[in-house]
Amino acid sequence: MSDCDISRSFLQINDQSSFMLQRCESSGDDDDDWRLKRRENNRVAAQKSRNRQTQRADELHKAYECLDQKNRLLKKEVQFLSEEQMRLTEALKAHEPLCLIRHCVPTLGSGPRDLGVLSSLPR
């Protein structure tokens, strides 16, 4: 091989090396672009996830407030009905000694034939 052939092959190898180097550098740019796009997509997805989580928490808080208010109203109704039951029980106890129907007809209302008797009594 002559010096000329050696230098030509060296130039070809050198050209191939620089081509490969450029290709790697451009590939590195592609990787950087891909990484940047991936990061941006991840950032957007994370923000959407946080927004959905916040929205869900807000909905749960509203549902909690609604149920809490309903619970308070039901507790008031239970209290009212308990007080009414106590008043009616006391009224019944006060009425029992004076009740003529209970003393006269001990089995009144125990059977279907007694319905006619109950409906004929004054109220």
Side-chain angles (χ1 to χ4, degrees), residues 16-111:
Q16 287 176 352
S17 296
S18 67
F19 175 74
M20 293 297 282
L21 183 60
Q22 288 174 352
R23 191 169 172 202
C24 288
E25 287 175 355
S26 66
S27 176
D29 289 343
D30 290 343
D31 286 346
D32 288 344
D33 289 344
W34 179 81
R35 281 190 183 103
L36 288 174
K37 286 180 185 177
R38 183 75 179 127
R39 278 186 177 177
E40 182 60 29
N41 288 342
N42 190 39
R43 188 176 298 118
V44 169
Q47 185 61 44
K48 284 181 182 179
S49 176
R50 285 190 291 271
N51 289 343
R52 281 192 306 267
Q53 187 177 8
T54 301
Q55 183 179 6
R56 177 76 174 131
D58 291 344
E59 290 171 0
L60 287 173
H61 185 69
K62 286 178 185 176
Y64 165 78
E65 288 177 346
C66 181
L67 290 172
D68 190 46
Q69 182 180 6
K70 189 174 183 179
N71 190 28
R72 279 185 266 135
L73 290 172
L74 289 172
K75 283 181 179 181
K76 285 181 183 179
E77 185 177 357
V78 166
Q79 180 65 31
F80 172 77
L81 291 172
S82 295
E83 290 171 1
E84 184 178 15
Q85 180 188 17
M86 286 175 47
R87 284 192 301 274
L88 291 172
T89 302
E90 289 174 10
L92 181 61
K93 284 180 182 177
H95 175 73
E96 280 179 350
L98 306 173
C99 183
L100 298 175
I101 297 171
R102 185 169 179 134
H103 294 290
C104 294
V105 186
T107 61
L108 187 64
S110 62

Side-chain angles (χ1 to χ4, degrees), residues 7-23:
S7 33
R8 244 187 266 143
S9 12
F10 179 73
L11 288 173
Q12 286 177 347
I13 292 172
N14 199 13
D15 287 341
Q16 287 176 352
S17 296
S18 67
F19 175 74
M20 293 297 282
L21 183 60
Q22 288 174 352
R23 191 169 172 202

